[in-house]
Amino acid sequence: MSSATATHDGGSASAAGSSEAPNYLNHQKTIRSWLLTLDHKRIGVLYAVTLATVFLIAGLLAIAVRLELFMPGETIMSNDAYNQTFTMHGIMMVFLFIVPSIPAILGNFVLPMQLGAKDVAFPRLNLASWYVYMIGGALVVTALLVGSVDTGWTFYTPYSSSGSMSVLYMTLAIFIAGFSSIFTGINFIVTIHKMRAPGLTWNRLPLFVWGLYATSIVMVLATPVIGITMILLFLERLLQIGIFDPALGGDPILFQHFFWFYSHPAVYIMILPAFGIISELMTAFSRQRIFGYKAIALSSVAIALLGFLVWGHHMFVSGQSAISGIVFSLITYLIGIPSGIKIFNWVATMYKGSVWLQTPMLYALSFLFLFTIGGLTGIMVGVLAVDVHLHDTYYVVGHFHYVMMGGTVIALLGGMHYWWPKITGKMYNETLGKIGAILIFIGFNATFFPQLILGARGMPRRYATYVEEFTFLHQVSTISSLVLAAGLFLVLGYMVHSLFWGEKATSNPWGAATLEWTMATSPPDPHNFTRTPIVTRGPYDFHLADEVFGPRHVGDGAGDGATSEPALPRETEST
Amino acid sequence: MGNSNGTVWLPEGASTVASEIDWLFYFVTWTSLAIMLLVVGGLIYLAYTYRRRSADDAPQPIKESKLLEISWVVIPTILVLLVFTWGFQGYLKLTVAPPNAYEIQATAFSWGWSFDYPNGASSNNLHVPVDRPVKVNMSSEDVLHSLFIPAFRVKQDVLPDRYSSVWFEATREGEYHLFCSEYCGTQHAEMIATVHVHSQTDFNEWLADAAMDEDIPLPELGERLFGQQGCQQCHSIDGTSGIGPTMQGLYMNDRLLQSGETVTADENYLRQMIIEPTAQVVEGYPAGVMPSYARLSEREINALVAYIKELE
Ligand SMILES: [Cu+2]
Ligand SMILES: [Cu+2]
């Protein structure tokens, strides 16, 4: 894959790759060494495999949902089966996939490397988070085997306190999986504060690190709330104390407050790391510094904190007071503006750059398109009077899929392609990569755009069947979802293929300027770097990254990110 | 139903608030489209103009434009504050019912609706007069439900043990969908009723007719109630088994109960089943699914029993 070797050191590094230097993948080979590993990179890989499996299952459930909706009436399953299917799809996607996804996979792998650190601050806690997650996952499976959960991922009371007992396993599962988030959050915060390489000031942190930092704050502060809520639900069910169930003297609206007090900030847990990835991709593939570094970095943290004040926008028609509705709507708008500004910043980053349309960049550009639609439809459902009509319809379903899938999942895919050479030491097939990205883009839009129209026309969500007039749009959506699925399977296929038959990756195939590319081999050494990096420039100061682009601009910052000593990859090359 | 026309995005509006909400919806949609074109246009332009020409493209330092940054903060802020203001003005209109509104009592249950009118009439579809504000006071017998009439652009959650209300003024006669939009279990998707908007005279006629319970024979009233109260959603009258057993040929049949005893389905059995279905549960069917109908009047229960007796 000569087209991928963009950089001056690229060609020679691949020659060096043939000598089998020990790397984190091959220095120990037993299963035991994987299951007991304290290496953040290996834990990232463990998470990648686990989460890919969860995504596959939850995705197949989504296909089942779409097939059932191909026609009104019963198509492939009964009402009850349908209700359980969309519930499992939601629970698995939200709690077991999207919330952990980017931080657990790419955050774990990339964060310490971008900081120039050997590992995260608490490697044992890191491994524990994976095991805790696995216990949570096992409980979800138990809940499935014991009975059926059909409450929707929102568990609204009193429906959830009256159905089958397996809801209890599910709430317990979410409670436990929450700890995995908290562990990761604490770990990242401490790592970012304490383990930065010499010279890596806050102003020089890559934006992916800023995104993870903001996310970690939300994880640590918000996750306990969902934990407590689930415990209250559990206790109410088990001991019959009235908390949420009106039959016992409880208040069902209280549950909604608790639930959204977590679940809205959770939206930011899901999207902030995605913002970080997009910043990395837009800069690396534009070979240009990010437009408005400070604005992007600080607004992530601002969004994280303000995100705690808007939960009530999920409850405009639930019977909360009109005043609360108005206040929540206003704050929702204020928090929406920084996200919008980021979009403009990313687009402007290409200005005077050298835009390279490789697969990760295609994902970044489709993110900009899809997330803008997600954001603008969010503005729509934030308009109080209009939300009364759109609430709990397919418009909302379309909106949050544009944000969660068009945003987070697309960014995750972009990030996986971008860091794939670093993680695996192999290049995927670029042509198939582009075809996959385009298939996914088209399939996604054709699946979810019709849902926006369906919702505005009055189609309520969580309906196992529907009135005739909605048939056409549902069929478009179902057929397109198969295109989307085909795109995703294609990605899975060539990624797995590349593991065995892919070309060897050079240490910096994209010509990026952050430490994991400039200072480490692909795949990296077990200890990431053989020498502590010393940083003298910002993460996207490509014009100063002479180790990547040659000493064209002699002056300060000659050398790697940047020392006057030669960078690691070159040194290995010469040996 | 009237819903099938309208614009691409919205079903045809049939209430006084619809035009305002539709206007707001389209304002946001068109503005969004403009922003979208700006973003996508910029994106394509920049990606093309500055496309990579060779692997050796030198990175260029640039200066950021303060003017640009300020304008893309200020303009969106003004826009969202604008739609926020319009949105909450509309919302206030939706939440405050005019004092002279005609009041209807709605009861939601899993899975159906029952609407009660001031003169004692009751129906499981909503009948309202045109050009007159109507306020529906709602409560739920069990879990959360939500009353959603797309053509009127109104929606409000229905809660157990608490009243909530929704108001609208229909502007066009016709029939419209009424959906339950808060997930409530197995038949959530079938918890659909029809809104009939009548002229004032037709409405009065319907109302008088519906309230004539007193004068019609019991089995006929029973038949009507069987539909209105949602019994037919779970019980067939043609021998097929649904969520509950069929009513055909039930009277004086031997019934095997979950407790193991066998009883004869006489009048008292039928009455007991309607008032307290958990007291005796039929073998092969789930307990606790059928709601209690103890709220029906004595005459209505008698009517249902009389009707079931006739289903041979
Ligand atoms: Cu929210
Ligand atoms: Cu419902």
Side-chain angles (χ1 to χ4, degrees):
Chain A
M1 176 139 323
S2 56
S3 71
T5 54
T7 66
H8 292 263
D9 71 338
S12 41
S14 65
S18 53
S19 67
E20 280 295 323
N23 62 49
Y24 84 100
L25 290 173
N26 66 12
H27 77 118
Q28 283 174 319
K29 290 214 157 108
T30 57
I31 300 233
R32 191 186 140 86
S33 75
W34 276 92
L35 291 180
L36 295 179
T37 181
L38 298 180
D39 181 349
H40 68 98
K41 301 184 285 305
R42 286 190 160 208
I43 295 173
V45 173
L46 285 180
Y47 264 120
V49 174
T50 323
L51 293 183
T53 315
V54 172
F55 184 63
L56 180 68
I57 298 172
L60 290 176
L61 291 173
I63 295 292
V65 163
R66 283 309 329 159
L67 289 179
E68 168 59 31
L69 293 176
F70 190 71
M71 285 199 287
E74 189 171 320
T75 312
I76 57 165
M77 53 181 137
S78 67
N79 286 4
D80 282 327
Y82 176 85
N83 293 342
Q84 290 157 22
T85 310
F86 82 71
T87 298
M88 282 314 293
H89 165 71
I91 292 177
M92 293 183 78
M93 280 295 189
V94 173
F95 294 107
L96 295 184
F97 178 69
I98 302 190
V99 164
S101 63
I102 297 178
I105 303 173
L106 293 173
N108 261 325
F109 191 94
V110 176
L111 176 85
M113 301 200 67
Q114 287 198 329
L115 293 178
K118 245 171 117 169
D119 208 314
V120 290
F122 308 117
R124 282 187 179 75
L125 193 65
N126 202 13
L127 182 62
S129 89
W130 183 72
Y131 278 102
V132 169
Y133 173 88
M134 293 304 277
I135 296 173
L139 269 171
V140 169
V141 176
T142 318
L144 264 182
L145 297 180
V146 169
S148 49
V149 182
D150 70 341
T151 58
W153 75 278
T154 49
F155 299 102
Y156 271 18
T157 50
Y159 186 72
S160 60
S161 34
S162 53
S164 97
M165 276 291 177
S166 57
V167 173
L168 292 187
Y169 289 92
M170 204 52 102
T171 52
L172 203 61
I174 288 166
F175 176 75
I176 291 175
F179 278 97
S180 146
S181 274
I182 297 175
F183 290 175
T184 305
I186 293 177
N187 222 335
F188 284 2
I189 291 176
V190 177
T191 308
I192 295 169
H193 272 273
K194 289 289 170 200
M195 317 249 315
R196 283 170 286 133
L200 188 54
T201 58
W202 287 89
N203 281 330
R204 289 181 184 157
L205 283 184
L207 286 168
F208 185 45
V209 174
W210 273 107
L212 288 171
Y213 184 68
T215 300
S216 303
I217 296 177
V218 188
M219 281 180 165
V220 171
L221 294 180
T223 314
V225 179
I226 191 78
I228 293 166
T229 312
M230 291 297 143
I231 286 296
L232 289 177
L233 204 59
F234 193 86
L235 290 181
E236 172 169 68
R237 211 36 213 288
L238 216 58
L239 307 177
Q240 298 290 306
I241 16 177
I243 302 168
F244 306 125
D245 187 353
L248 301 169
D251 181 356
I253 301 288
L254 181 67
F255 177 84
Q256 297 180 24
H257 281 291
F258 279 3
F259 183 82
W260 290 112
F261 190 85
Y262 164 77
S263 293
H264 188 81
V267 172
Y268 296 106
I269 297 183
M270 306 180 224
I271 201 68
L272 287 170
F275 287 170
I277 291 183
I278 297 306
S279 299
E280 298 297 319
L281 299 182
M282 290 307 294
T283 51
F285 290 91
S286 302
R287 195 170 294 179
Q288 186 52 274
R289 60 135 95 203
I290 192 106
F291 196 104
Y293 173 90
K294 276 219 171 91
I296 295 190
L298 295 179
S299 68
S300 292
V301 180
I303 290 175
L305 297 175
L306 279 174
F308 282 99
L309 305 176
V310 299
W311 76 91
H313 65 205
H314 296 269
M315 302 164 59
F316 289 155
V317 300
S318 71
Q320 73 178 356
S321 76
I323 306 280
S324 340
I326 290 164
V327 172
F328 281 125
S329 165
L330 184 61
I331 310 180
T332 303
Y333 279 131
L334 296 184
I335 194 174
I337 293 169
S339 309
I341 294 168
K342 283 178 199 243
I343 302 257
F344 297 130
N345 279 321
W346 286 318
V347 173
T349 297
M350 290 187 284
Y351 177 67
K352 288 208 171 164
S354 160
V355 179
W356 193 19
L357 292 178
Q358 293 297 79
T359 309
M361 186 59 165
L362 292 186
Y363 281 107
L365 297 182
S366 44
F367 173 97
L368 292 185
F369 184 93
L370 302 175
F371 184 74
T372 306
I373 296 186
L376 291 169
T377 51
I379 296 289
M380 179 75 92
V381 290
V383 182
L384 281 162
V386 179
D387 183 59
V388 169
H389 176 62
L390 297 177
H391 180 76
D392 271 338
T393 66
Y394 264 73
Y395 196 90
V396 174
V397 177
H399 157 68
F400 71 72
H401 279 90
Y402 266 97
V403 176
M404 308 289 43
M405 181 154 192
T408 308
V409 177
I410 293 292
L412 174 68
L413 284 169
M416 286 307 288
H417 283 82
Y418 177 59
W419 280 294
W420 190 256
K422 187 59 61 183
I423 297 173
T424 63
K426 297 290 172 62
M427 297 304 296
Y428 56 86
N429 182 313
E430 190 58 46
T431 313
L432 289 179
K434 286 179 178 149
I435 295 176
I438 292 169
L439 263 185
I440 290 174
F441 179 78
I442 295 174
F444 179 90
N445 280 298
T447 304
F448 292 105
F449 204 83
Q451 298 191 2
L452 293 173
I453 304 179
L454 271 174
R457 297 197 65 85
M459 168 79 207
R461 67 193 279 199
R462 298 176 166 176
Y463 263 31
T465 172
Y466 48 83
V467 294
E468 291 295 307
E469 68 205 54
F470 297 127
T471 314
F472 174 70
L473 287 168
H474 270 302
Q475 295 190 339
V476 175
S477 181
T478 300
I479 292 169
S480 311
S481 69
L482 299 177
V483 177
L484 177 56
L488 289 166
F489 275 113
L490 177 65
V491 173
L492 181 69
Y494 68 70
M495 286 301 213
V496 171
H497 179 272
S498 79
L499 287 180
F500 303 100
W501 298 284
E503 251 178 79
K504 278 230 158 64
T506 62
S507 59
N508 189 359
W510 316 118
T514 41
L515 292 174
E516 80 276 27
W517 298 110
T518 59
M519 287 286 285
T521 49
S522 304
D525 182 87
H527 298 296
N528 296 349
F529 309 101
T530 43
R531 166 184 297 126
T532 306
I534 300 172
V535 181
T536 62
R537 59 163 169 80
Y540 313 117
D541 290 340
F542 290 88
H543 58 292
L544 302 179
D546 294 338
E547 80 287 6
V548 184
F549 299 102
R552 210 176 280 96
H553 315 265
V554 187
D556 56 343
D560 145 62
T563 66
S564 47
E565 294 174 74
L568 171 80
R570 295 199 145 185
E571 207 173 42
T572 7
E573 284 154 30
S574 54
T575 52
Chain B
M1 299 240 170
N3 306 33
S4 38
N5 2 346
T7 57
V8 177
W9 283 94
L10 296 166
E12 196 166 354
S15 76
T16 47
V17 291
S19 61
E20 187 180 333
I21 291 173
D22 294 4
W23 188 86
L24 208 50
F25 180 92
Y26 274 109
F27 177 81
V28 178
T29 303
W30 287 115
T31 318
S32 300
L33 190 69
I35 295 174
M36 210 46 214
L37 288 177
L38 210 72
V39 169
V40 175
L43 194 147
I44 292 174
Y45 171 79
L46 290 173
Y48 181 76
T49 314
Y50 300 106
R51 68 190 174 282
R52 177 170 130 127
R53 288 162 209 270
S54 92
D56 292 333
D57 280 355
Q60 305 183 30
I62 48 148
K63 273 215 159 56
E64 290 172 9
S65 152
K66 279 277 161 287
L67 184 71
L68 196 61
E69 277 191 89
I70 291 175
S71 64
W72 71 43
V73 174
V74 172
I75 297 173
T77 309
I78 294 175
L79 281 176
V80 293
L81 287 180
L82 206 63
V83 291
F84 161 74
T85 315
W86 291 336
F88 100 73
Q89 284 168 345
Y91 184 63
L92 287 184
K93 262 184 223 160
L94 286 171
T95 34
V96 184
N100 61 343
Y102 178 77
E103 295 201 17
I104 297 172
Q105 190 69 40
T107 311
F109 53 89
S110 298
W111 293 275
W113 301 91
S114 143
F115 299 98
D116 295 286
Y117 297 78
N119 72 341
S122 171
S123 151
N124 66 340
N125 285 315
L126 179 59
H127 293 259
V128 295
V130 72
D131 292 332
R132 179 162 173 200
V134 171
K135 181 180 179 200
V136 186
N137 296 314
M138 309 180 288
S139 64
S140 163
E141 280 187 1
D142 35 59
V143 298
L144 300 180
H145 300 279
S146 189
L147 181 138
F148 176 32
I149 308 173
F152 294 174
R153 315 285 191 262
V154 294
K155 177 182 295 124
Q156 179 64 47
D157 284 5
V158 186
L159 309 162
D161 282 354
R162 189 185 298 184
Y163 289 114
S164 57
S165 70
V166 64
W167 84 271
F168 50 80
E169 182 176 336
T171 52
R172 268 187 321 120
E173 288 173 39
E175 296 184 355
Y176 307 98
H177 294 301
L178 184 158
F179 296 119
C180 171
S181 61
E182 185 66 80
Y183 175 69
C184 56
T186 310
Q187 290 190 64
H188 168 57
E190 279 132 61
M191 197 169 151
I192 302 177
T194 304
V195 185
H196 299 265
V197 180
H198 305 282
S199 69
Q200 186 68 49
T201 37
D202 287 355
F203 177 71
N204 290 343
E205 220 167 86
W206 173 85
L207 201 60
D209 217 28
M212 272 205 324
D213 290 1
E214 302 308 314
D215 309 330
I216 56 176
L218 277 183
E220 210 172 293
L221 174 62
E223 182 174 4
R224 187 182 288 178
L225 286 169
F226 198 78
Q228 285 175 356
Q229 297 297 336
C231 316
Q232 95 283 12
Q233 292 183 17
C234 301
H235 300 290
S236 77
I237 52 170
D238 60 5
T240 50
S241 179
I243 292 174
T246 181
M247 294 287 113
Q248 192 186 38
L250 174 62
Y251 182 55
M252 286 323 248
N253 224 324
D254 280 347
R255 308 300 298 156
L256 178 62
L257 300 181
Q258 264 175 29
S259 56
E261 0 163 18
T262 305
V263 294
T264 307
D266 56 9
E267 283 98 338
N268 271 324
Y269 171 82
L270 295 179
R271 182 192 173 83
Q272 179 75 15
M273 281 313 285
I274 296 171
I275 295 175
E276 205 187 342
T278 42
Q280 300 158 298
V281 180
V282 186
E283 177 63 30
Y285 290 91
V289 170
M290 175 168 162
S292 155
Y293 287 88
R295 67 183 150 85
L296 296 182
S297 71
E298 186 60 29
R299 186 175 145 80
E300 286 168 326
I301 291 168
N302 294 342
L304 278 169
V305 172
Y307 172 63
I308 296 171
K309 276 166 69 174
E310 285 194 349
L311 296 169
E312 277 158 3

